[in-house]
Amino acid sequence: MQHKTAFWAPAAFALAFAGASGAQGFEIETGLDVLQSPNTLIEGLHRLYIGRRISPTFSVGQSIYSGALGDAGGAFFWGFEGVATLPVSQRLSLSMSGFVGGGGGAAQVIGDGLMLRAGVALDYQLSPSWDVQAHAAWLSIDGAPIDGPTFGLGLRYRVGAGGMGFSTGGVPEFDAISVFATQTTSPSGTRTRPGPQQPDISMVGARFHVDTGPNTQLWFGGAGAARGAQGYMQIMGGARYIRPVGGLSFFAEGSAGFAGGGLVDTGAGLLLGAALGASMPITRTLDVELSVGATVAPDGDFSAATLTLGLMRHFNRDGMGGGAQRWAYTGGVQAQSAETGFFITPRPGTDYVLMQHSAFDYFLTDRVYATGSAMTALQGGVAGYALGMVGLGYEMPLSARWSVSVEGLLGAAGGGGVNTAGGIVAGLQADIDYRVGESWRISAGIGQLASLESGGMQPVTLSLGVKIPFTTHR
C-alpha cells in the first residue's frame, strides 16, 4: 500500500497545484521536528516547505527535510506536501499538513526510504507576513526504526504580503539564477566519518537570487558532489553584500544550511560558510563570478577552504527593462532500470528503482531552455540515493496540444548503494507533453543516465508527471 501511495501522491499534488487558477500566492514554512525517543542517529529534522495557496486556507507544494539534531548529517528527504489552515481567532489559527516523499542518508535508513508525515500546528500571527508555529507530527520512515511523534517550533512567511524583495502579486520574482562549480580542500587534520583524511570534493550546483536592496541580495540553492565524496549534498541559503567598482562588482556573503553524505563528517548536519568574490559582466544579462571562502560544520569534523566559479543570468538588471520570463515546473516520478552494474553490490530481484522527480525549466528563447532537476528514492531499496542535474533542452510544438522536447543533462548522484562511479553523471531525455488545460500538461519521457567514469551505472529511465508553465516579471 505504501508503494502505491508513493507512486500516486506526486501526481495528485501536482494536479492540485496546476488547477489553482484562483491561487492566492506562495508561502514558505521552516521549522524543526524533534523526534521523541529516537532509535537512530537522526534525532531531529529541519523542515523547509514552499507551497502555492490554491485557496485562502489551503496550499500545496514541496518540502525538504534534512538532518539537524543527532549525528546524521546527510539525511535528506524530499517530496510533496499540502497544508490546510483554519482560523480560530484574529491572530490564532490551526493548520494541518500531510507529506509524502523519499530519501535517506547517513547510513540510518536501509530500504525504500519512503517517508510519510502528518502534522498539526498552532499558528500565531506576528504580522501580515509572518506567523510563529508550535507543531506536533507523526513521522514514519520506511527502512528506519522511526515511526512516532515529533514536536517543534517553526515560522511561516506569506509571499506577497510585503518585504523580502518579492512582488506584491504573491509570486516569487527571482532576480537572477546561477550555476556553479565548487572545489573544497580540507586541512590535513580533517577526517571523514570512518576516520581517514577528508579528500578534496568537487561539487556542482545551482542558486536562485532575490535582490533586497540596491547592494544586497538573498539566495537559496543546492549542490552535490561530482568527485571526492559520492553521495554528498548540501542545501544552503545566504545573504550577499555587493560593491560595484568600475566594470566589476565585488561581494561578501555569509551562508547557512544543512549538508552531509559521502562519509563527510558534518555531525548533525548544520553547515556555515563565508566567501569573498568578484563578478564581471560578459554579456548584457550574464556575469561570470569567482569567489574564495570557507565552510565549517560546527557539530562535526568537516571544514574546508572553497574556490567557486559561477555563471549568473540576470532577469532585471538596471537599464535592461522588464519583460516576462517563461518557466515550467514538472513534478512526478521516474523509474530507473536496475541493470547489471547499477548497484555497487549486486542485488538479485531488483529490476528498477522509483524516484520522486522535480524540475524547473527556464526558457532562454521561444524553444531553448535551461533546466534543473532533483530526484530522491521512493522505492527499490536504495534509501539515500539522490540526483541533482542541470542542462539544456529544446521544445518543439507539434500541434495546439502536443509538443516534444529533448534535453542534455549533467550533474551529481550518489547514495543508496548505487554505483555512480564517483558521482558525476550525464543524461539524455526525450519528453512528449499533452496540454490538458490552459495551465497544465501531462508529460511522459524516456531517456538514459550514465556515470562518466567507466564501470558505473547506465540505467534507462521512464518518467511520468505533470508540467505547469508559468511566467514571472510580467
Side-chain angles (χ1 to χ4, degrees):
M1 188 66 172
Q2 282 187 330
H3 293 167
K4 293 181 180 179
T5 302
F7 185 86
W8 287 110
F13 276 106
L15 283 167
F17 191 95
S21 59
Q24 306 297 311
F26 285 74
E27 58 189 28
I28 302 170
E29 296 184 12
T30 182
L32 185 66
D33 274 7
V34 181
L35 278 66
Q36 301 302 298
S37 303
N39 295 313
T40 70
L41 296 179
I42 303 173
E43 297 180 5
L45 294 171
H46 173 259
R47 171 180 178 260
L48 177 65
Y49 166 73
I50 301 176
R52 183 181 185 182
R53 291 189 297 277
I54 62 174
S55 77
T57 60
F58 185 63
S59 69
V60 293
Q62 292 202 279
S63 293
I64 185 167
Y65 291 78
S66 51
L69 295 176
D71 191 21
F76 289 95
F77 303 87
W78 172 270
F80 299 86
E81 190 157 5
V83 178
T85 304
L86 305 176
V88 176
S89 67
Q90 185 175 358
R91 288 188 176 270
L92 285 175
S93 60
L94 189 68
S95 58
M96 293 163 284
S97 60
F99 169 87
V100 57
Q108 299 303 296
V109 184
I110 308 299
D112 288 342
L114 178 67
M115 172 174 154
L116 304 175
R117 179 186 183 272
V120 61
L122 183 65
D123 310 328
Y124 179 78
Q125 186 175 12
L126 299 174
S127 72
S129 298
W130 291 95
D131 293 350
V132 65
Q133 302 175 310
H135 55 78
W138 192 273
L139 183 68
S140 175
I141 300 176
D142 186 8
I146 297 176
D147 189 6
T150 71
F151 301 93
L153 298 174
L155 291 170
R156 174 188 292 128
Y157 175 73
R158 282 177 287 274
V159 177
M164 295 288 284
F166 293 110
S167 73
T168 57
V171 177
E173 299 281 14
F174 298 113
D175 293 288
I177 58 174
S178 64
V179 293
F180 63 90
T182 297
Q183 182 73 18
T184 74
T185 300
S186 295
S188 60
T190 304
R191 303 295 174 184
T192 63
R193 285 187 181 272
Q197 165 73 24
Q198 173 63 57
D200 295 349
I201 305 173
S202 301
M203 293 184 291
V204 292
R207 292 176 178 174
F208 294 91
H209 303 254
V210 175
D211 293 336
T212 55
N215 298 306
T216 57
Q217 194 178 74
L218 297 178
W219 59 263
F220 172 81
R227 191 180 300 273
Q230 179 178 316
Y232 175 79
M233 66 177 291
Q234 58 186 44
I235 303 293
M236 304 289 286
R240 175 181 288 192
Y241 176 76
I242 305 164
R243 184 74 173 180
V245 179
L248 299 176
S249 292
F250 295 89
F251 59 85
E253 64 183 25
S255 59
F258 296 90
L263 304 181
V264 179
D265 186 5
T266 56
L270 178 64
L271 191 69
L272 304 176
L276 297 172
S279 63
M280 180 180 68
I282 55 175
T283 73
R284 194 160 172 255
T285 60
L286 293 176
D287 288 357
V288 63
E289 295 188 342
L290 183 67
S291 66
V292 294
T295 59
V296 61
D299 194 43
D301 193 49
F302 180 67
S303 62
T306 63
L307 178 66
T308 299
L309 178 65
L311 185 67
M312 180 181 290
R313 202 301 186 176
H314 294 270
F315 298 140
N316 201 22
R317 198 200 296 268
D318 292 342
M320 285 170 47
Q325 305 292 334
R326 287 179 58 209
W327 299 78
Y329 162 80
T330 302
V333 293
Q334 182 181 99
Q336 299 182 7
S337 62
E339 79 298 332
T340 302
F342 185 82
F343 296 107
I344 296 174
T345 302
R347 301 180 188 178
T350 302
D351 298 323
Y352 71 95
V353 300
L354 189 66
M355 310 291 289
Q356 180 274 139
H357 175 239
S358 305
F360 281 94
D361 303 332
Y362 167 67
F363 281 82
L364 304 171
T365 70
D366 287 344
R367 295 189 178 185
V368 178
Y369 59 91
T371 184
S373 63
M375 285 178 271
T376 53
L378 290 172
Q379 182 185 342
V382 290
Y385 174 45
L387 299 93
M389 306 193 77
V390 296
L392 289 174
Y394 183 85
E395 182 182 71
M396 184 173 61
L398 299 179
S399 68
R401 290 189 177 271
W402 292 93
S403 63
V404 296
S405 58
V406 291
E407 296 175 357
L409 303 165
L410 182 68
V418 177
N419 182 18
T420 60
I424 188 166
V425 296
L428 290 173
Q429 180 161 317
D431 294 331
I432 185 165
D433 300 341
Y434 178 75
R435 183 171 63 84
V436 179
E438 290 301 320
S439 59
W440 64 284
R441 310 172 187 173
I442 294 175
S443 182
I446 184 169
Q448 184 163 23
L449 294 172
S451 302
L452 292 191
E453 297 289 342
S454 62
M457 66 171 193
Q458 297 183 17
V460 174
T461 64
L462 296 175
S463 303
L464 180 64
V466 173
K467 183 175 291 186
I468 307 165
F470 63 97
T471 60
T472 61
H473 291 284
R474 286 177 288 186

